[in-house]
Amino acid sequence: MASTEITTHQKEILAWKIMGEALRFIDEDLIFADLHPGGGQYDCLSLVSRESEIVLMLNRAGSSAAGNTGHVEDIWQTAINEDVRSAAMEILSELDISMYDETDKDIDNSDQVLTCKRMARWVQFQSQELGKPICCWIDDAYYVGQAKTFLEQVKIPPTWVEQEPPYQGADWSAWLFALTIGDGIVGMVNMKTGEAINPDGSPLQDWYKKSAVPKKNVMKKSEVITFPEEVPSDEALAAFRKVGRFDGYKVFGKDLASVAESVSEHWRKTGDLPRDIEQIKGALFFEWRRTHHTGQYPQNEDLRYIQLLAQEITRQTN
């Protein structure tokens, strides 16, 4: 069967729908997380145990699912060609994740299943094809901690802050998912309680239904670059804009991190950059994504490095 081109927006919808179906059959108390293994080159909606063990990851930057026993390819294609339940069943079966009949389970995941459905509906119907729920606890190779940029934009109820951490090594913020559209935040969802609030702390009514989303907190699609934690320098922003429309994940796939690191290492040893424009763009794209996930902006020699990458892109494309 011919492959269908699947957009980032469609992957986000399918990821939440597949997770909802998977939770119907998993007899284990699991928690949602956003994980970015491979030095940040993967973007995985994930399920982890209370002991922080990774059970299932759906890679939205690619097309695979992974667990402790391996990985499954073409999950989005399966979901579209067949249905999301078939995709979920195939993933659980191939990864040897224990399944139980949904009428005979010790753990009741029905609340999380409902929240998954609501997340998918919000992305599909209320986010102008730009929406993505993002976990407020960052856990990747370069930074572990609260996504402060998101949390500081929302008036968090005290009862949410008082919640016990969902899994080891995290805090209360790991329960929360920011509803983001482009560079703006329009709400926050508590995965433990199922509640949703506006940035001002008021209840976000009917957030998962078919209705128009407020535009007051939504930035234009053209304003594509956003960074957590702090405001980057004008120099860093100018450099990163050179790859604002370049998709390093699509060009290099799983090799993105190794390509970027080799370019960086070669420059630091020799002072030279490669001639291949794709490698240069990939290196700058990787630094952009690393900054996005860590909130640590390039300074001094690191800033000089990304500026040289940007200058070389300009030189070769003019």
Side-chain angles (χ1 to χ4, degrees):
M1 183 175 294
S3 296
T4 303
E5 184 175 351
I6 303 171
T7 67
T8 300
H9 174 67
Q10 290 171 321
K11 287 181 182 180
E12 190 67 33
I13 297 169
L14 292 173
W16 286 101
K17 286 186 175 182
I18 289 173
M19 281 302 195
E21 291 299 326
L23 281 169
R24 293 180 185 273
F25 298 96
I26 298 178
D27 191 16
E28 189 175 350
D29 187 12
L30 301 177
I31 311 300
F32 280 99
D34 276 330
L35 301 179
H36 304 91
Q41 64 178 310
Y42 302 106
D43 176 22
C44 301
L45 180 61
S46 307
L47 289 172
V48 301
S49 71
R50 296 281 184 172
E51 295 72 38
S52 301
E53 179 186 4
I54 299 172
V55 175
L56 176 61
M57 298 188 294
L58 306 181
N59 181 24
R60 295 168 292 198
S63 59
S64 64
N68 291 327
T69 60
H71 67 280
V72 182
E73 296 290 346
D74 299 325
I75 58 173
W76 316 123
Q77 204 66 55
T78 300
I80 288 178
N81 292 342
E82 299 179 34
D83 54 53
V84 291
R85 175 165 291 201
S86 296
M89 293 293 287
E90 178 180 335
I91 290 168
L92 296 179
S93 177
E94 291 295 321
L95 297 180
D96 198 26
I97 297 174
S98 297
M99 292 184 286
Y100 295 81
D101 186 278
E102 55 189 313
T103 61
D104 182 25
K105 296 174 63 178
D106 295 325
I107 301 295
D108 182 6
N109 291 324
S110 58
D111 288 343
Q112 292 200 82
V113 170
L114 177 60
T115 303
C116 280
K117 287 184 175 181
R118 290 178 169 180
M119 286 292 204
R121 288 178 64 84
W122 177 81
V123 175
Q124 185 170 4
F125 298 119
Q126 294 210 43
S127 71
Q128 304 173 4
E129 299 190 2
L130 296 173
K132 182 175 182 178
I134 301 178
C135 186
C136 290
W137 179 262
I138 300 173
D139 189 345
D140 61 29
Y142 303 102
Y143 174 79
V144 176
Q146 294 182 348
K148 295 180 181 179
T149 292
F150 296 152
L151 296 173
E152 290 172 353
Q153 294 184 55
V154 179
K155 185 177 181 180
I156 307 296
T159 54
W160 289 16
V161 179
E162 294 168 0
Q163 292 178 152
E164 291 294 324
Y167 56 88
Q168 294 178 5
D171 67 14
W172 57 270
S173 63
W175 284 114
L176 309 185
F177 272 73
L179 300 178
T180 70
I181 300 180
D183 296 340
I185 297 178
V186 298
M188 191 79 76
V189 176
N190 187 325
M191 300 298 289
K192 180 177 177 63
T193 66
E195 299 170 292
I197 59 174
N198 290 296
D200 64 4
S202 62
L204 182 57
Q205 303 290 350
D206 298 332
W207 60 278
Y208 50 86
K209 295 185 178 181
K210 293 183 180 180
S211 61
V213 68
K215 295 184 178 181
K216 60 182 179 180
N217 293 315
V218 181
M219 299 181 72
K220 295 179 181 179
K221 188 175 181 180
S222 60
E223 298 172 333
V224 295
I225 297 179
T226 179
F227 304 91
E229 304 296 330
E230 61 186 87
V231 178
S233 66
D234 291 340
E235 293 85 354
L237 273 177
F240 288 136
R241 284 195 181 100
K242 294 295 180 181
V243 289
R245 298 182 181 276
F246 178 81
D247 188 349
Y249 300 128
K250 185 175 182 179
V251 174
F252 293 104
K254 65 181 181 180
D255 296 324
L256 174 63
S258 61
V259 169
E261 293 297 343
S262 66
V263 171
S264 175
E265 183 179 0
H266 182 72
W267 176 78
R268 295 181 194 283
K269 289 181 177 179
T270 68
D272 295 327
L273 295 174
R275 295 183 178 180
D276 189 326
I277 187 65
E278 296 297 290
Q279 290 185 8
I280 295 171
K281 288 182 178 180
L284 185 56
F285 177 88
F286 183 80
E287 295 300 327
W288 171 29
R289 300 312 298 165
R290 172 158 40 197
T291 295
H292 177 78
H293 290 304
T294 66
Q296 298 173 356
Y297 300 102
Q299 298 178 358
N300 304 322
E301 185 179 35
D302 292 336
L303 178 58
R304 180 167 171 262
Y305 170 60
I306 68 165
Q307 287 180 308
L308 289 174
L309 291 171
Q311 291 169 12
E312 185 61 19
I313 293 172
T314 300
R315 188 186 71 80
Q316 292 199 34
T317 55
N318 284 346

